[in-house]
Amino acid sequence: MEHVDDGAVVLRWRRHPSSVGLARLELRKALTGWGLSALEDSATLVLSELVTNAVRHARVPSGREIETRFLPMGRPAPDGLRIEVHDASTQRPRRRAAELDACDGRGLLIVDALADAWGVSDRVGVGKLVWAVWRPADGGGRRGT
């Protein structure tokens, strides 16, 4: 685990399904430490969807890892959150309409419903980052679920 100057927690994961649960655990720890436990349900579900997408869909060379960044927002005490999931794939995720009886295809719809905002950005180096934000309470955004 790496803590950077802006207060972010930065972690790297193997592209393996077990990384999803491990990333959720680390996010829970960070949220507790920042006093943001109220965001735990929505933030861990969004993180699960984003890391799962990176594990399942990012077509990258063998050995490339996924990076997560958890960043508290708000001063003087954190009351918002930004989550980023970085991978080395240039293919950007897109929302799609799932068939009614489909077992998958709803992940980004869930992200859209639970986060105040989300998107995809270029990153330094190869690939992209997918981010989700829960704005500070005075920013007028939704709060946890």
Side-chain angles (χ1 to χ4, degrees), residues 110-132:
I110 292 169
V111 171
D112 193 49
L114 295 178
D116 289 332
W118 74 275
V120 184
S121 303
D122 293 330
R123 68 182 199 130
V124 175
V126 177
K128 66 179 174 304
L129 70 96
V130 183
W131 54 268

Side-chain angles (χ1 to χ4, degrees), residues 61-144:
S62 179
R64 297 297 293 220
E65 293 181 313
I66 297 165
E67 179 179 284
T68 56
R69 294 176 56 90
F70 313 140
L71 179 65
M73 298 167 46
R75 300 277 183 241
D79 63 351
L81 175 68
R82 179 179 171 101
I83 292 173
E84 297 178 359
V85 177
H86 298 238
D87 66 56
S89 173
T90 57
Q91 183 177 3
R92 293 179 174 243
R94 58 182 172 76
R95 279 185 289 190
R96 59 187 170 121
E99 297 292 325
L100 288 177
D101 58 349
C103 295
D104 61 2
R106 294 176 181 83
L108 293 177
L109 295 172
I110 292 169
V111 171
D112 193 49
L114 295 178
D116 289 332
W118 74 275
V120 184
S121 303
D122 293 330
R123 68 182 199 130
V124 175
V126 177
K128 66 179 174 304
L129 70 96
V130 183
W131 54 268
V133 171
W134 290 260
R135 293 186 183 100
D138 62 356
R142 306 185 272 247
R143 300 305 304 176

